[in-house]
């Protein structure tokens, strides 16, 4: 996104050359897909050959260097690009359809149950730290599961249990994500001590009691992403992404995905869940002796109703950079070059990026060669009606592993790819599917989000060389048309959908909420600023907007966001700051403050934490449930009641485990 990344623009500019992108034309019908390896001997020989090449270690991403900024005239209303890379003219039917779809995303329901999670795709649940089961809230925190009853208008702690198998040493484990399916609570974690992704199943009774059922280990490396979630739930099917670095094994097939039920034996063998016919690779990588093949990207699908967890996996071989997105119909996996290869390939005008589509109906995976890499899961949107996948791509970046999204830079483009382009992976997306976007003059911490018929893209420009904090938000009609670029005086921290409109959250020592009216030509519509506050959550689940009943377009509703508050007199790393929950009302597209539900640090105690003792996925959530308003604030659950122009506390519980007994 930086204007000084000239090499980055050159990479994406390849899509504008005469004749489109290089690469052979399809020789097969659109419904044909990737060819798997046929036999174990074939896959073993391929992996042995690649391992013998002896790839050099992949370096840590370089820091973003401050370079002199060329003279730049910011165009606040830029026309859409013309020529080969331009998209089709704006389509009013498309605009209306996508706006209606987007308006239900943050307020949609899962199989008739109320949704309390800011999910990206309606009907696709994401692993989180708080879920609903009947009259109970289920909460995952610091290696434990808790249940709280909301029955009869009250609040009552019910039960607590370790989020890991009985009898294990969980000191090296992280339990990050939780899902509820029927009478099961499923916890997803990563165990450094026992190795691999861990899936633990717990029973939850109608009265909220928890009991351990079973646990399984999947052979994998750490799946952590600063923005994405590793797990999704559609019906009773668990979908997991996990990476496996290619390494030396006596038999290369020993690195294939496997599952074992935890019995207490740390040396118990894994049962393979993918064979050669479930392993795929883009043809150009398969042929190339120099192509990067650093990881086995694994998408596992598990039947949670099976007495013993039943899983099958699809494996994609490729470079280590990846971004994972799940729509209602398919899993999309974008693999991209490593940090080392980005600048090399930019100079050479080549790319090893591929987009894989793994249908959820079990049909054959397909792929297409691409340019650049997405920022995170919000770079994607599948348009089921139009049979398109829309993706924001950047010329510099390494996918959404760990904290790599924070290092993404370079030129940006919008790829609108018809699903018919997918095939055996030998074809590249043609130039006409890309639309180059104007440069934003920022150079740090980009965000992107599809809202209705528009794409929002932000970039911050941090202060150096005497410059002021500045951010920019681009609003581009997805189907083509006038592009608007709005400057902000403070860094942008998140982009969200609120009904048919968008919300920009920004600030440093204050939190500003700015709405973007998308009902006509995009415009900044309203603004509310919370003074002396800082946003305390970076995860998408930290925000929630609930439209009022009957407000179909979401013009009126309630929103909640955790904000930091310094706790005076506390200097330890656990309790020196606390999250309050800030609530705002939106009435006829106008924002007003309702106040906060606050946490109480005076009740904080040592919880004798054993596992997952840092809240990497956050610990505060706004919850709107059956007409009630709650704030999850660490170990506290606070209920509020909205009256007039404010919110007041009407109930509070602390569900923290009892402090350890003193010796």
């Amino acid at each position: 996104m930086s204007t000084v990344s000239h090499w980055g623009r050159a990479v994406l500019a390849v899509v504008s050359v005469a004749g489109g992108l290089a690469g052979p034309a399809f020789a097969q019908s659109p419904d044909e897909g990737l060819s798997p390896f046929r036999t174990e001997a074939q896959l073993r020989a391929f992996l042995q050959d690649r391992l013998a090449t002896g790839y050099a270690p992949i370096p840590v991403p370089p820091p973003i260097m401050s370079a002199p900024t060329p003279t730049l005239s910011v165009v606040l209303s830029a026309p859409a690009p013309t020529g080969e890379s331009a998209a089709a003219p704006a389509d009013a039917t498309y605009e209306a359809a996508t706006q209606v779809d987007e308006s239900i995303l943050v307020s949609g329901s899962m199989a008739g149950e109320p949704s309390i999670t800011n999910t990206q795709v309606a009907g696709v649940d994401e692993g989180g730290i708080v879920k609903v089961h009947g009259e109970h809230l289920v909460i995952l925190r610091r290696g434990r599961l808790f249940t709280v009853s909301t029955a009869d208008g009250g609040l009552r702690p019910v039960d607590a249990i370790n989020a890991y198998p009985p009898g294990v040493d969980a000191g090296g484990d992280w339990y990050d994500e939780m899902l509820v399916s029927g009478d099961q609570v499923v916890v997803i974690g990563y165990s450094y001590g026992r190795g691999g992704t861990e899936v633990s199943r717990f029973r939850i009774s109608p009265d909220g009691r928890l009991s351990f059922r079973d646990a399984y280990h999947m052979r994998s490396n750490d799946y952590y992403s600063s923005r994405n979630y590793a797990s999704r739930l559609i019906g009773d099917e668990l979908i997991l992404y996990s990476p496996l670095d290619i390494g030396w094994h006596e038999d290369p097939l020993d690195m294939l995905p496997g599952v074992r039920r935890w019995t207490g034996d740390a040396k118990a063998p894994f049962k393979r869940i993918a064979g050669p016919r479930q392993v795929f690779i883009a043809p150009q990588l398969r042929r190339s002796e120099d192509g990067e093949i650093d990881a086995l990207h694994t998408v596992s699908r598990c039947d949670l109703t099976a007495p013993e967890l039943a899983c099958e996996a699809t494996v994609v071989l490729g470079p280590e950079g990846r971004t994972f997105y799940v729509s209602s119909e398919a899993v999309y996996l974008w693999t991209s070059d490593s940090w080392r290869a980005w600048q090399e390939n930019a100079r050479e005008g080549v790319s090893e990026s591929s987009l894989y589509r793994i249908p959820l109906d079990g049909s054959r995976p397909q792929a297409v060669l691409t340019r650049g890499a997405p920022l995170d899961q919000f770079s994607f949107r599948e348009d089921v009606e139009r049979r398109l996948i829309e993706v924001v791509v950047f010329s510099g970046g390494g996918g959404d592993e760990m904290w790599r999204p924070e290092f993404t830079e370079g030129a940006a483009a919008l790829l609108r790819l018809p699903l018919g382009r997918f095939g055996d992976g030998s074809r590249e997306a043609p130039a006409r599917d890309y639309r180059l976007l104007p440069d934003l003059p920022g150079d740090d911490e980009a965000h992107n989000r599809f809202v209705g018929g528009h794409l929002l893209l932000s970039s911050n420009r941090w202060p150096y060389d005497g410059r002021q904090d500045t951010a920019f938000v681009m609003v581009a009609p997805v189907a083509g048309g006038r592009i608007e670029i709005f400057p902000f005086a403070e860094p942008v921290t998140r982009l969200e959908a609120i009904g048919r409109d968008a919300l920009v959250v920004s600030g440093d020592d204050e939190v500003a909420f700015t709405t973007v009216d998308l009902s006509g030509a995009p415009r900044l519509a309203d603004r509310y600023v919370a003074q002396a506050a800082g946003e305390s959550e970076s995860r998408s689940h930290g925000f929630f907007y609930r439209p009022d009943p009957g407000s179909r377009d979401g013009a009126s509703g309630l929103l909640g966001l955790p904000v930091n508050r310094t706790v005076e007199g506390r200097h330890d790393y656990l309790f020196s700051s606390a999250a309050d929950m800030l609530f705002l009302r939106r009435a006829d597209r106008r924002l007003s403050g309702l106040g906060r539900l606050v946490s109480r640090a005076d009740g904080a105690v040592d919880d004798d934490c054993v596992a997952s003792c840092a809240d990497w996925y956050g610990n505060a959530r706004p919850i709107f449930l059956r007409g009630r308003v709650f704030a999850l604030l660490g170990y506290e659950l606070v209920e509020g009641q909205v009256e007039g122009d404010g919110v007041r506390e009407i109930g509070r519980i602390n569900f923290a485990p009892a402090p350890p007994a003193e010796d």
Side-chain angles (χ1 to χ4, degrees):
M1 297 246 309
S2 171
T3 55
V4 300
S5 299
H6 301 303
W7 68 266
R9 180 155 286 278
V11 176
L12 288 180
V14 173
V15 303
S16 298
V17 300
L21 294 173
F26 265 136
Q28 76 287 332
S29 62
D31 61 346
E32 289 185 348
L34 289 157
S35 297
F37 289 87
R38 294 189 300 273
T39 65
E40 289 191 355
Q42 183 189 46
L43 177 57
R44 182 181 289 110
F46 178 83
L47 292 173
Q48 286 175 333
D49 179 67
R50 289 310 176 96
L51 287 169
T53 304
Y55 293 118
I58 305 302
V60 174
I64 297 176
M65 303 301 293
S66 300
T69 303
T71 302
L72 177 68
S73 176
V74 179
V75 181
L76 297 184
S77 297
T82 58
E84 176 80 320
S85 64
D91 185 323
T93 302
Y94 172 81
E95 180 90 2
T98 51
Q99 284 188 341
V100 170
D101 289 346
E102 189 75 18
S103 71
I104 67 172
L105 293 191
V106 297
S107 58
S109 62
M110 301 289 296
E113 288 296 319
S115 173
I116 62 169
T117 302
N118 181 14
T119 51
Q120 182 180 8
V121 178
V124 181
D125 200 8
E126 301 165 358
I129 64 170
V130 58
K131 300 293 179 182
V132 176
H133 180 267
E135 297 290 340
H136 297 88
L137 291 173
V138 187
I139 301 163
L140 173 67
R141 181 152 199 251
R142 293 168 65 85
R144 294 182 174 101
L145 281 172
F146 304 87
T147 55
V148 175
S149 173
T150 64
D152 302 321
L155 284 177
R156 180 174 57 88
V158 175
D159 204 3
I161 192 173
N162 289 335
Y164 44 88
V168 304
D169 178 1
D173 301 345
W174 296 93
Y175 297 95
D176 305 310
E177 304 180 16
M178 178 257 299
L179 294 151
V180 173
S181 175
D183 65 349
Q184 295 185 101
V185 178
V186 182
V187 175
I188 312 301
Y190 187 79
S191 174
Y192 284 96
R194 296 178 299 285
T197 297
E198 185 171 292
V199 180
S200 296
R201 299 193 294 181
F202 298 81
R203 293 286 189 192
I204 181 170
S205 66
D207 62 357
R209 298 293 174 181
L210 296 166
S211 59
F212 176 77
R213 180 180 177 185
D214 53 14
Y216 300 83
H217 288 137
M218 292 184 167
R219 187 185 287 130
S220 78
N221 294 107
D222 196 347
Y223 54 72
Y224 181 81
S225 167
S226 61
R227 299 192 182 184
N228 207 347
Y229 304 95
S231 63
R232 304 291 194 277
L233 181 67
I234 301 179
D236 292 317
E237 184 172 67
L238 174 67
I239 300 168
L240 285 171
Y241 168 79
S242 57
L244 272 164
D245 294 339
I246 289 180
W248 290 98
H249 293 264
E250 185 174 337
D251 182 350
L253 299 190
D254 288 343
M255 73 178 77
L256 289 176
V259 173
R260 66 181 179 187
R261 182 168 182 167
W262 178 249
T263 61
D265 181 3
K267 296 183 178 180
F270 286 87
K271 178 182 178 181
R272 192 185 299 168
I273 58 172
R277 300 198 68 82
Q278 287 77 47
V279 180
F280 301 89
I281 185 173
Q284 75 165 10
L285 276 181
R286 192 166 184 168
R287 294 190 299 264
S288 172
E289 294 183 358
D290 300 321
E292 281 195 73
I293 302 176
D294 304 308
L296 291 81
H297 300 281
T298 304
V299 175
S300 302
R301 298 167 58 191
C302 304
D303 179 7
L304 293 176
T305 65
E308 183 164 336
L309 192 67
C311 301
E312 57 185 32
T314 300
V315 179
V316 170
L317 295 174
E320 64 172 352
R322 92 288 166 130
T323 310
F324 170 67
Y325 164 75
V326 182
S327 75
S328 60
E329 291 194 348
V331 175
Y332 290 88
L333 181 64
W334 189 297
T335 63
S336 54
D337 304 342
S338 71
W339 294 95
R340 171 174 52 83
W342 270 111
Q343 296 194 34
E344 295 175 3
N345 289 344
R347 288 190 293 269
E348 297 170 6
V350 299
S351 174
E352 294 178 355
S353 298
S354 297
L355 176 57
Y356 294 84
R357 186 177 192 271
I358 305 171
L360 293 173
D361 63 6
S363 55
R364 194 172 177 184
Q366 298 177 308
V368 62
L369 296 175
T370 51
R371 297 280 168 169
L375 175 67
D376 53 30
Q377 72 272 28
F378 291 111
S379 301
F380 292 80
R381 182 174 66 182
E382 184 186 66
D383 184 340
V384 175
E385 295 298 323
R386 285 179 166 255
R387 309 303 295 166
L388 288 170
I389 180 70
E390 298 164 332
V391 193
V392 186
V393 296
F394 299 83
S395 60
D400 65 9
E401 178 186 1
M402 292 293 176
W403 293 275
R404 287 191 173 187
E406 281 68 41
F407 289 93
T408 297
E409 61 176 354
L414 173 60
L415 171 62
R416 299 186 70 206
L417 187 71
L419 298 188
R421 298 268 196 259
F422 286 89
D424 69 352
S426 62
R427 178 186 181 183
E428 289 193 73
R432 62 181 176 274
D433 291 342
Y434 291 85
R435 176 186 176 192
L436 290 174
L437 297 171
D439 270 335
L440 291 180
D443 50 22
D444 195 57
E445 196 181 2
H447 296 273
N448 53 193
R449 191 71 183 256
F450 289 96
V451 182
H454 293 81
L455 165 68
L456 278 76
L457 179 61
S458 73
S459 181
N460 296 329
R461 184 171 67 184
W462 296 100
Y464 55 85
D465 296 334
R467 300 190 315 191
Q468 295 181 345
D469 270 354
T470 311
F472 299 87
V473 175
M474 177 192 303
V475 183
V478 173
R482 182 185 181 94
I483 294 175
E484 304 286 348
I485 299 177
F486 300 104
F488 281 72
E490 60 280 325
V492 171
T493 56
R494 67 170 64 229
L495 303 172
E496 298 287 354
I498 49 171
R500 292 187 176 183
D501 297 327
L503 180 72
V504 179
V505 181
S506 58
D508 192 1
D509 55 1
E510 61 184 23
V511 181
F513 301 82
T514 306
T515 59
V516 184
D517 188 337
L518 299 176
S519 59
R523 65 184 183 88
L524 302 186
D526 199 22
R527 182 176 171 89
Y528 176 86
V529 178
Q531 302 289 343
E535 187 176 353
S536 70
E537 292 277 353
S538 62
R539 290 279 173 180
S540 60
H541 292 176
F543 171 88
F544 198 89
Y545 178 70
R546 185 200 69 185
D548 289 341
S551 179
R552 178 173 172 78
D553 62 356
S556 298
L558 296 175
L559 65 86
L561 183 73
V563 295
N564 280 328
R565 172 173 52 88
T566 300
V567 180
E568 294 185 8
R570 300 301 296 262
H571 304 290
D572 53 282
Y573 79 100
L574 284 178
F575 306 119
S576 59
S577 66
D580 293 341
M581 193 62 62
L582 177 67
F583 291 95
L584 272 64
R585 171 168 287 288
R586 190 182 193 220
D588 296 326
R589 291 191 161 85
R590 298 299 302 271
L591 296 174
S592 60
L594 292 173
R596 307 183 185 187
L597 295 178
V598 303
S599 58
R600 291 179 181 168
D602 56 0
V605 297
D606 181 2
D607 62 359
D608 197 25
C609 183
V610 172
S612 201
C613 295
D615 293 316
W616 292 113
Y617 282 57
N619 60 24
R621 299 287 186 268
I623 301 169
F624 302 101
L625 178 64
R626 304 186 184 103
R628 299 169 70 180
V629 177
F630 301 97
L632 174 64
L633 303 171
Y635 281 125
E636 294 181 298
L637 188 65
V638 186
E639 182 170 7
Q641 182 171 309
V642 177
E643 296 177 342
D645 59 358
V647 59
R648 68 179 181 90
E649 179 182 328
I650 61 172
R652 176 187 297 261
I653 62 167
N654 188 314
F655 57 87
E662 296 184 3
D663 294 333

